[in-house]
């Protein structure tokens, strides 16, 4: 049994918890009384232990002091408050309590948190917001180097980078509620990612954008067991050692592209991508824009329960049948695919890929679907209509899908098409007749750059060069 007490000017309380296998008993009340008792049973001992630990952390965060005989040394109140934030980073009250504690200790970071919390209040007037933003900048300018610790020389001084003529900073960062919330990195090397991996400042990081890293040959950086000797991108394996990435909600792996362009390239290796995803159990948005990702493994991960958006570009392997059967993807709303041109036999999506997605009973939350470079043709349009997926889709992007006027008429004839907010049939095989059928639906659509279905360029699959062709 673990025992705790709480005392202030108004009350003196106790709270005890006794864990026994798959259940625990809680006793609580005013000190000097027998108190009240509650017992809870769980499906397993592990589930009981998890809830037990959660309740203990909550009590410590509220100011209870452990009095268990022979108990391990108690964590400081600061540590308890930070543990509560790690357990639930979205708990506004926990951030407020942490800010109040730091203020009481004379730590200026407490005021910084309070200022940033105040800026989240949309009811603040323009004048109030300007005053808060001014104070926010003053505090960050004065104390930012201290708060960033070992990251400061890199994030503030851009140390260890090699400029490539781009105007934007190599490292960009943003604080939210007093913690590092967003990191966008470009031209980063092993030295920096090793520092980043061991930095507790990223414990509440929610957005991590990894653009192209530096090309570093062996011998240009200090060797270590965190970097494979033959690694093409040594900076990324070094970052995989971090124990602090568990709160990341948005991961962008590679440089985002302009989807209006017909051609774009990728120069980033995705060999470590699956390893990063495994470190991020709270991931909600995943943007994969790199080559060499093990998509068989990625699409089969059972830890994607929170994932809402999945963008996968530049691949030459799309095992969408596995993705469509993955029970952890039931909350996925956006599936966005644009293959990489490498080998014509592998580079584009096939009709069975599309069929698996639209017929999936697992992907029941999909509202945005982009399946480009597919050989589906008019049979694909027929599958989409028959599957009933148009009842819930808001976006349907079938660019370069070999769809003719017959397929366009099939889509236009389905009443559910009117649920769409946008339809992309660019680079298919429509004529004026197919376009007219779509226009009659009132749905917003685009049909730029249609191919001739009997043209040599289309028959020879030259359209597959559109996208990443390196």
């Amino acid at each position: 049994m673990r025992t705790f007490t709480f005392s202030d000017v108004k009350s003196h309380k106790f709270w005890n918890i006794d864990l026994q296998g798959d259940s625990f008993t809680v006793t609580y009340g005013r000190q000097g009384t027998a108190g009240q008792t509650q017992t809870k049973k769980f499906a397993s001992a592990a589930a009981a232990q998890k809830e037990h630990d959660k309740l203990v952390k909550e009590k410590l965060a509220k100011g209870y002091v452990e009095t268990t005989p022979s108990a391990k040394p108690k964590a400081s109140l600061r540590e308890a408050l930070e543990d509560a934030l790690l357990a639930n980073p979205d708990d506004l009250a926990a951030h407020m309590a942490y800010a109040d504690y730091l203020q009481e200790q004379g730590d200026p970071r407490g005021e910084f948190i309070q200022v940033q919390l105040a800026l989240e209040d949309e009811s603040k007037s323009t004048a109030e917001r300007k005053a808060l933003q001014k104070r926010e900048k003053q505090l960050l300018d004065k104390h930012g180097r201290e708060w960033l610790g070992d990251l400061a020389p890199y994030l503030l001084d851009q140390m260890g980078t090699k400029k490539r003529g781009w105007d934007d900073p190599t490292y960009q960062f943003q604080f939210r509620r007093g913690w590092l919330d967003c990191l966008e990195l470009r031209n980063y090397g092993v030295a920096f990612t090793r520092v980043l991996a061991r930095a507790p400042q990223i414990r509440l990081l929610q957005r991590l954008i990894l653009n192209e890293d530096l090309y570093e040959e062996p011998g240009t950086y200090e060797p270590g067991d965190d970097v494979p000797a033959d690694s093409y991108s040594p900076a990324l394996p070094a970052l995989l050692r971090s124990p602090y990435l568990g709160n990341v909600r948005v991961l962008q792996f590679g440089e985002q592209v302009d989807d209006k362009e017909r051609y774009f390239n990728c120069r980033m290796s995705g060999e470590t991508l699956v390893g990063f995803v495994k470190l991020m159990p709270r991931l909600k948005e995943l943007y994969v824009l790199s080559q060499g990702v093990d998509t068989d493994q990625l699409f089969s991960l059972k830890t994607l329960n929170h994932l809402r958006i999945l963008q996968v570009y530049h691949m030459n392997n799309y095992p969408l049948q596995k993705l469509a059967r993955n029970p952890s993807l039931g909350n996925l709303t956006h599936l966005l695919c644009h293959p990489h041109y490498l080998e014509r036999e592998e580079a584009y999506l096939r009709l069975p890929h599309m069929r698996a997605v639209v017929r999936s009973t697992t992907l029941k939350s999909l509202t945005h679907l982009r399946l480009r470079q597919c050989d589906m043709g008019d049979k694909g349009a027929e599958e989409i209509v028959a599957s009933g997926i148009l009842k819930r889709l808001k976006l349907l992007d079938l660019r370069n899908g070999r769809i003719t006027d017959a397929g366009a008429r099939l889509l236009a004839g389905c009443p559910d098409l009117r649920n769409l907010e946008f339809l992309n049939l660019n680079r298919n095989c429509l004529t004026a007749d197919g376009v007219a059928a779509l226009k009659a639906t009132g749905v917003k659509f685009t049909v730029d750059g249609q191919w001739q279905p009997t043209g040599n360029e289309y028959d020879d699959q030259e359209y597959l060069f559109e996208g990443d062709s390196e």
Side-chain angles (χ1 to χ4, degrees):
M1 177 187 293
R2 296 180 67 176
T3 62
F4 303 81
T5 61
F6 176 89
S7 296
D8 61 15
V9 295
K10 295 182 179 180
S11 62
H12 302 280
K13 299 180 288 187
F14 73 95
W15 184 83
N16 304 332
I17 185 166
D18 186 16
L19 177 65
Q20 298 291 337
D22 61 356
S23 67
F24 61 66
T25 300
V26 172
T27 307
Y28 63 97
R30 294 197 312 272
Q31 293 184 34
T33 69
Q36 302 179 53
T37 298
Q38 293 179 346
T39 298
K40 292 187 68 174
K41 188 175 178 63
F42 296 82
S44 65
Q49 181 73 58
K50 182 178 179 180
E51 183 66 16
H52 167 279
D53 295 345
K54 176 185 174 184
L55 292 176
V56 169
K57 284 185 177 181
E58 288 176 353
K59 290 300 178 184
L60 291 171
K62 291 178 180 178
Y64 279 75
V65 176
E66 184 163 6
T67 57
T68 307
S70 303
K72 294 180 180 179
K74 300 183 293 293
S76 68
L77 179 55
R78 178 172 184 150
E79 291 172 330
L81 290 169
E82 290 180 356
D83 284 346
L85 288 175
L86 290 173
N88 188 1
D90 299 321
D91 186 350
L92 184 61
H95 286 279
M96 290 178 173
Y98 185 58
D100 290 343
Y101 169 79
L102 293 180
Q103 277 275 70
E104 292 170 0
Q105 303 303 308
D107 189 330
R109 192 173 173 193
E111 182 188 0
F112 183 61
I113 296 172
Q114 290 173 336
V115 167
Q116 292 203 311
L117 289 173
L119 282 168
E120 294 182 17
D121 183 354
E122 295 181 358
S123 68
K124 297 290 185 186
S125 67
T126 300
E128 288 175 315
R129 297 190 68 80
K130 286 184 178 179
L132 287 167
Q133 288 167 348
K134 180 179 179 181
R135 184 57 180 157
E136 177 188 40
K137 186 177 184 304
Q138 289 173 342
L139 289 166
L140 189 56
D141 288 345
K142 185 174 182 179
H143 303 286
R145 189 169 294 274
E146 174 189 350
W147 296 337
L148 289 170
D150 291 341
L151 296 175
Y154 296 92
L155 300 186
L156 295 179
D157 307 329
Q158 303 291 298
M159 185 178 80
T161 65
K162 296 178 181 179
K163 296 295 183 180
R164 297 185 178 181
W166 296 328
D167 294 332
D168 54 317
T170 301
Y171 308 136
Q172 294 178 282
F173 66 95
Q174 194 170 38
F175 277 92
R176 179 172 175 264
R177 298 181 178 181
W179 292 82
L180 269 178
D181 178 72
C182 178
L183 278 175
E184 181 171 356
L185 310 177
R186 188 191 308 275
N187 299 344
Y188 48 93
V190 175
F192 172 54
T193 54
R194 280 174 169 161
V195 172
L196 186 62
R198 63 174 185 265
Q201 289 85 357
I202 63 172
R203 284 177 290 173
L204 265 65
L205 188 71
Q206 296 212 18
R207 297 181 62 88
L208 179 59
I209 301 174
L210 297 170
N211 292 303
E212 187 180 2
D213 54 345
L214 285 174
Y215 174 69
E216 297 177 287
E217 295 182 355
T220 62
Y221 56 86
E222 186 176 344
D225 62 0
D226 57 343
V227 180
D230 58 349
S231 177
Y232 176 77
S233 298
L236 292 170
L239 184 55
L240 271 178
R241 292 291 183 92
S242 177
Y244 301 123
L245 296 174
N247 277 310
V248 173
R249 311 295 176 86
V250 179
L251 174 63
Q252 179 182 312
F253 206 84
E255 296 195 43
Q256 195 54 266
V257 303
D258 183 351
D259 273 311
K260 295 180 181 179
E261 297 293 331
R262 288 169 53 188
Y263 306 99
F264 38 77
N265 294 316
C266 165
R267 295 173 294 276
M268 184 167 170
S269 169
E271 294 175 356
T272 55
L273 183 276
V274 173
F276 278 105
V277 175
K278 288 180 177 179
L279 295 176
M280 302 173 180
R282 291 175 167 168
L283 202 60
K284 291 184 177 181
E285 301 177 21
L286 176 58
Y287 303 93
V288 185
L289 301 118
S290 56
Q291 300 177 18
V293 175
D294 185 342
T295 44
D296 284 283
Q297 188 177 7
L298 176 64
F299 290 174
S300 301
L301 288 177
K302 304 304 181 186
T303 57
L304 304 175
N305 302 79
H306 299 287
L307 198 65
R308 301 293 187 273
I309 300 176
L310 176 59
Q311 178 185 13
V312 187
Y313 280 22
H314 309 307
M315 298 299 114
N316 58 8
N317 179 33
Y318 283 81
L320 294 180
Q321 291 92 336
K322 291 184 177 181
L323 181 145
R325 294 192 301 266
N326 188 341
S328 77
L329 289 171
N331 291 313
L332 193 69
T333 60
H334 293 58
L335 176 60
L336 314 171
C337 302
H338 190 135
H340 165 75
Y341 175 83
L342 185 63
E343 299 293 339
R344 291 181 181 177
E345 291 76 13
E346 300 177 358
Y348 58 93
L349 302 177
R350 304 297 181 94
L351 178 62
H353 295 142
M354 185 278 297
R355 181 185 293 119
V357 172
V358 301
R359 296 281 187 176
S360 172
T361 57
T362 298
L363 304 175
K364 57 185 181 297
S365 300
L366 272 184
T367 56
H368 293 66
L369 182 60
R370 176 178 295 153
L371 298 176
R372 294 177 173 172
Q373 314 288 79
C374 186
D375 72 349
M376 67 177 73
D378 296 335
K379 287 187 178 295
E382 183 178 350
E383 279 287 337
I384 289 169
V385 170
S387 71
I389 196 172
L390 288 174
K391 294 180 185 298
R392 52 188 164 88
L393 284 187
K394 300 299 180 185
L395 167 75
L396 180 59
D397 185 340
L398 304 176
R399 190 168 103 182
N400 272 329
R402 302 181 69 93
I403 295 172
T404 71
D405 289 346
R409 285 192 291 268
L410 278 170
L411 292 171
C414 178
D416 295 329
L417 188 77
R418 290 152 182 82
N419 294 323
L420 288 181
E421 296 174 357
F422 193 74
L423 172 65
N424 186 340
L425 290 180
N426 288 348
R427 313 295 288 165
N428 278 271
C429 305
L430 305 184
T431 70
D433 290 342
V435 174
L438 294 172
K439 189 173 183 179
T441 67
V443 173
K444 186 177 181 180
F445 66 92
T446 178
V447 288
D448 293 340
Q450 297 298 304
W451 298 86
Q452 294 301 313
T454 58
N456 291 332
E457 290 180 328
Y458 211 84
D459 289 341
D460 292 341
Q461 297 181 327
E462 289 189 16
Y463 71 97
L464 292 178
F465 280 102
E466 298 188 2
D468 183 1
S469 58
E470 284 194 346

